Amino acid sequence: MCGIVGAVVAAGDVLPEVLTGLRTLEYRGYDSAGVAVLAGGLLEVRRKSGRISALEAELADRRLPSALQAVGHTRWATHGKPADRNAHPHRDQDNQVVVVHNGIIENFVELRAELEKEGVAFSSETDTEVIANLLARQLRATGDLHAALLGAIDQLHGAYALVAMAVGHEGEMVAARRDSPLVLGVGAGGRFAASDMPALLHLTRDFLFLENGETCVFTAESHRIFDAAGKLVSRDLAKCDWTPEQAEKGGYPHFMLKEIEEQPDVLARTAFDRFRDSTGDVTFEDGFQLTDEDLRRAARLRFMAMGTSFHAALLGQQMTAELARLPGETLNASEFLYSPRLAEETAITVIISQSGETADSLRAMREVKERGGTVIGICNVQGSTLAREADHLILTHCGPEVGVASTKAFVGQLTALYLLAIRIGRAREELDLDKGLALLRDLRAVRTQLDPLFEPETHVAIRAAADFLAPKSSCLFLGRGLLFPVALEGALKLKEISYIHAEGYPAGEMKHGPIALIDTDFPVVVVATPGRAYKKTLSNMEEVKARGGRLLAVACREDEKVAALADFILPVPSVPELLAPIVNVVPLQLLAYETALVLGCDIDQPRNLAKSVTVE
Ligand code: F6R
């Protein structure tokens, strides 16, 4: 998705800071990049399709003057193909106003036609150029930049986060958001706006989060936020506990590998401060206010999310059913609107999202709330829309996830879901103190049990499997029970970063169709650790073997039965069944990573993907 940075400072040249911010936003996925400065009463723009390095080459050729205010943008094409002319920033035809924008303006065709009738000539196919011209028209009428912004956004239907500046309004910037994220950073020498916090961590740790419909006017020394009705809003600064280093590669070749290896710490940070071994009680922070009585009253739990978070949701449902005996359902958030309307008063809905900005998940959350339901958000980004709008919040403490393929967020989510299931189980008296304590001790132990997964011996085994997989065009992932969502997640990781077609199936479903794919040399990855479905999974492996298929198995190191069947073993330590997904997903993440590496793919920014999908 597009990334935005806007900055105004009291002294110095702000452009290098904007470029640093843009580089941090690269992870969101983009096809072009650009910057604009306002200096000496003139707006100047440089923009290029391709990587930020192409923009930097352009800036080296055609230098921009030193400036106190600038905007920058990474574009992920929606209206108009990736091309220099479609890259942001966009100006009005008289070069008086410049805008960077993330989102989709649904009525842009009508607005563009109206402006064309007035004689406006467009130089791009984007919806954003329409915004720049609307803003310029309003500015001519009012002479006030904020009033012009309000007049312009009043005409927009759709989603936007935007930052603008204008000739004649030096030192001032304006911003607005509706259904696309935007944060304001407050530093000693300036004010900054960006799509997310990591883009500004090199400048400040103090943030304000704009709510939907709000606008903002900021200078280097001050900022004012207005609600949708134009009324001044007062808002406290929030301190971000992420560090700039967490958003850097730190010596790793890829963010994805760094983030996979951070998972033991993610588990510890997400869980260990939330329970005491002595009392067995799980407590979440102030954002979570549901009482034992509330949890006892719930008749069912609903889990909703997208992508990797959806796979975590499937596991959350199984964990809660098991530990709290509470029936549940899991829905892909984008399907919620089309599902039957059930009573919300007796249900609790858990919405899971790493970014807290996924449009489908937010839409589902708002719909549940509108229907009178209660929402628990499980989210990694403090201040994100989900974190602010959910009735109750459990933060996963993963630190910023930069790699487009989600890894550590999954482990953070599973850890939070496990704690939630215990919390509900204890409240509903389905778990006694001893059982609760034992479950928490199991979780604590997993942190160190993950260590062998990062040792050279495991790497050798995974690398051999990756070498085998890399030339293949298609692959099945199988698992049963708690291991089925792990198979789904393994398949998703492989396809998104190596582009090898991969499908996750419940192992029992294989005989009902997918088995037709299996011939000599066809790869099947099976998640085959001990548990209630172990024996049946072994039978499925036999079926693959009998047809000449090649088996790659996630299995316990000492498991001789699986070793006798599989061509490649991805070894994992033995852990209690409910926690096995946390452990078993790691070799599958590494398998995807190593396979993509063999194939020379762009691991951190796979084609067509965006880190945070902010449009439905
Ligand atoms: C997969 C991936 C996506 C996200 C999905 C939801 O590796 O990154 O499938 O999991 O877009 O994102 P969040 O969790 O931010 O709502």
Side-chain angles (χ1 to χ4, degrees):
M1 293 286 112
C2 302
I4 289 178
V5 183
V8 50
V9 292
D13 182 10
V14 79
L15 188 62
E17 308 295 5
V18 169
L19 284 166
T20 303
L22 285 189
R23 263 182 245 108
T24 314
L25 289 171
E26 278 193 299
Y27 77 95
R28 296 164 71 90
Y30 71 107
D31 48 60
S32 38
V35 289
V37 296
L38 177 56
L42 282 180
L43 278 176
E44 287 205 56
V45 173
R46 302 286 183 268
R47 51 195 192 170
K48 258 336 222 185
S49 64
R51 296 284 167 178
I52 290 175
S53 51
L55 172 66
E56 285 169 335
E58 170 79 357
L59 285 166
D61 271 0
R62 297 173 57 221
R63 293 185 69 81
L64 283 172
S66 170
L68 297 175
Q69 65 191 115
V71 291
H73 191 265
T74 47
R75 175 172 189 254
W76 192 80
T78 54
H79 293 73
K81 62 180 186 186
D84 291 356
R85 70 176 182 288
N86 288 329
H88 296 217
H90 286 283
R91 284 167 290 182
D92 69 303
Q93 68 168 2
D94 299 325
N95 203 15
Q96 296 298 297
V97 168
V98 71
V99 178
V100 285
H101 162 226
N102 170 23
I104 292 183
I105 303 305
E106 287 158 9
N107 59 336
F108 104 101
V109 175
E110 296 87 326
L111 291 170
R112 182 175 166 131
E114 182 189 315
L115 287 160
E116 277 171 339
K117 255 196 233 150
E118 290 174 14
V120 175
F122 286 87
S123 58
S124 78
E125 291 124 62
T126 64
D127 48 354
T128 307
E129 199 181 357
V130 167
I131 305 177
N133 280 288
L134 285 178
L135 200 45
R137 184 169 77 179
Q138 294 289 333
L139 192 56
R140 282 193 297 276
T142 65
D144 179 275
L145 191 53
H146 185 241
L149 176 76
L150 294 178
I153 60 175
D154 201 36
Q155 297 168 66
L156 305 179
H157 300 166
Y160 51 80
L162 57 91
V163 181
M165 52 190 187
V167 172
H169 298 266
E170 277 73 8
E172 188 180 8
M173 301 189 78
V174 288
R177 74 155 287 193
R178 178 171 298 283
D179 293 338
S180 289
L182 196 68
V183 300
L184 189 73
V186 176
R191 297 287 189 280
F192 318 98
S195 299
D196 66 22
M197 292 187 289
L200 301 179
L201 287 176
H202 61 297
L203 296 165
T204 185
R205 306 273 286 278
D206 292 320
F207 289 92
L208 290 164
F209 306 106
L210 289 196
E211 303 281 353
N212 240 358
E214 288 183 344
T215 57
C216 173
V217 185
F218 58 102
T219 66
E221 293 88 18
S222 68
H223 57 266
R224 283 173 299 150
I225 298 176
F226 301 87
D227 67 13
K231 232 176 91 217
L232 199 62
V233 174
S234 116
R235 180 152 311 144
D236 292 338
L237 291 178
K239 187 65 93 205
C240 174
D241 60 8
W242 292 354
T243 63
E245 295 72 38
Q246 281 181 308
E248 286 164 10
K249 276 193 205 145
Y252 283 85
H254 298 98
F255 278 109
M256 184 178 177
L257 185 60
K258 173 178 177 247
E259 289 164 4
I260 291 171
E261 294 200 8
E262 280 171 3
Q263 292 180 117
D265 291 340
V266 165
L267 183 146
R269 283 201 303 267
T270 301
F272 291 179
D273 282 347
R274 286 173 164 156
F275 65 87
R276 299 274 163 272
D277 290 337
S278 50
T279 63
D281 286 333
V282 172
T283 49
F284 299 111
E285 299 75 27
D286 294 346
F288 186 96
Q289 295 286 338
L290 286 171
T291 61
D292 284 1
E293 182 50 34
D294 296 328
L295 296 171
R296 270 197 291 274
R297 254 200 323 261
R300 75 192 160 88
L301 270 185
R302 183 201 286 122
F303 295 83
M304 289 199 273
M306 302 299 290
T308 290
S309 301
F310 173 69
H311 301 152
L314 290 168
L315 285 161
Q317 182 196 331
Q318 292 195 47
M319 288 178 192
T320 334
E322 180 133 345
L323 299 182
R325 302 271 144 214
L326 191 55
E329 58 171 345
T330 304
L331 283 178
N332 187 282
S334 65
E335 291 293 307
F336 176 58
L337 293 184
Y338 319 109
S339 70
R341 288 178 83 104
L342 301 175
E344 294 295 342
E345 298 71 31
T346 50
I348 295 177
T349 296
V350 183
I351 306 260
I352 307 167
S353 170
Q354 185 286 127
S355 61
E357 300 295 350
T358 297
D360 290 304
S361 304
L362 294 180
R363 179 76 198 268
M365 169 192 64
R366 289 175 183 147
E367 185 68 24
V368 170
K369 289 182 68 174
E370 258 175 56
R371 294 183 193 176
T374 300
V375 172
I376 301 175
I378 296 186
C379 179
N380 190 42
V381 183
Q382 172 205 4
S384 63
T385 307
L386 177 62
R388 282 180 290 112
E389 292 187 19
D391 300 304
H392 305 276
L393 174 67
I394 303 174
L395 277 176
T396 54
H397 295 293
C398 307
E401 189 179 65
V402 179
V404 164
S406 191
T407 53
K408 62 177 177 174
F410 185 67
V411 162
Q413 290 162 350
L414 294 188
T415 305
L417 287 162
Y418 184 81
L419 291 179
L420 180 64
I422 295 173
R423 170 87 167 79
I424 302 176
R426 295 276 294 128
R428 297 171 69 86
E429 292 171 17
E430 293 292 346
L431 292 177
D432 62 22
L433 178 61
D434 286 348
K435 179 72 181 149
L437 281 172
L439 288 162
L440 291 169
R441 270 197 300 271
D442 289 347
L443 180 64
R444 192 180 284 288
V446 169
R447 182 194 186 168
T448 41
Q449 285 167 319
L450 286 167
D451 289 344
L453 293 168
F454 307 110
E455 281 167 7
E457 198 188 323
T458 310
H459 179 256
V460 169
I462 291 173
R463 182 60 196 231
D467 284 334
F468 167 74
L469 207 50
K472 310 290 182 216
S473 56
S474 186
C475 177
L476 270 185
F477 282 69
L478 304 178
R480 279 177 186 258
L482 286 155
L483 304 182
F484 165 52
V486 178
L488 288 175
E489 178 57 9
L492 177 63
K493 287 290 89 78
L494 185 70
K495 78 180 121 193
E496 65 185 338
I497 62 164
S498 76
Y499 316 136
I500 295 173
H501 172 243
E503 292 303 328
Y505 268 93
E509 181 71 16
M510 181 183 66
K511 288 197 284 294
H512 301 270
I515 200 165
L517 293 170
I518 296 168
D519 60 9
T520 324
D521 230 29
F522 186 86
V524 181
V525 180
V526 187
V527 192
T529 49
R532 63 203 84 177
Y534 176 70
K535 279 198 182 132
K536 290 225 168 85
T537 304
L538 286 182
S539 307
N540 295 129
M541 293 178 71
E542 297 274 11
E543 287 154 10
V544 173
K545 193 100 188 140
R547 285 155 185 84
R550 303 291 294 275
L551 285 162
L552 299 84
V554 174
C556 289
R557 279 169 201 286
E558 58 282 0
D559 190 330
E560 289 170 9
K561 287 194 184 117
V562 175
L565 286 168
D567 299 278
F568 299 93
I569 296 286
L570 312 177
V572 288
S574 168
V575 299
E577 195 180 355
L578 269 183
L579 291 165
I582 293 183
V583 170
N584 291 354
V585 76
V586 178
L588 296 181
Q589 296 166 340
L590 288 166
L591 178 66
Y593 175 81
E594 292 291 339
T595 307
L597 203 60
V598 174
L599 292 170
C601 298
D602 188 346
I603 290 178
D604 282 335
Q605 286 151 48
R607 72 180 177 215
N608 302 338
L609 291 181
K611 180 68 187 158
S612 175
V613 183
T614 52
V615 288
E616 278 176 58

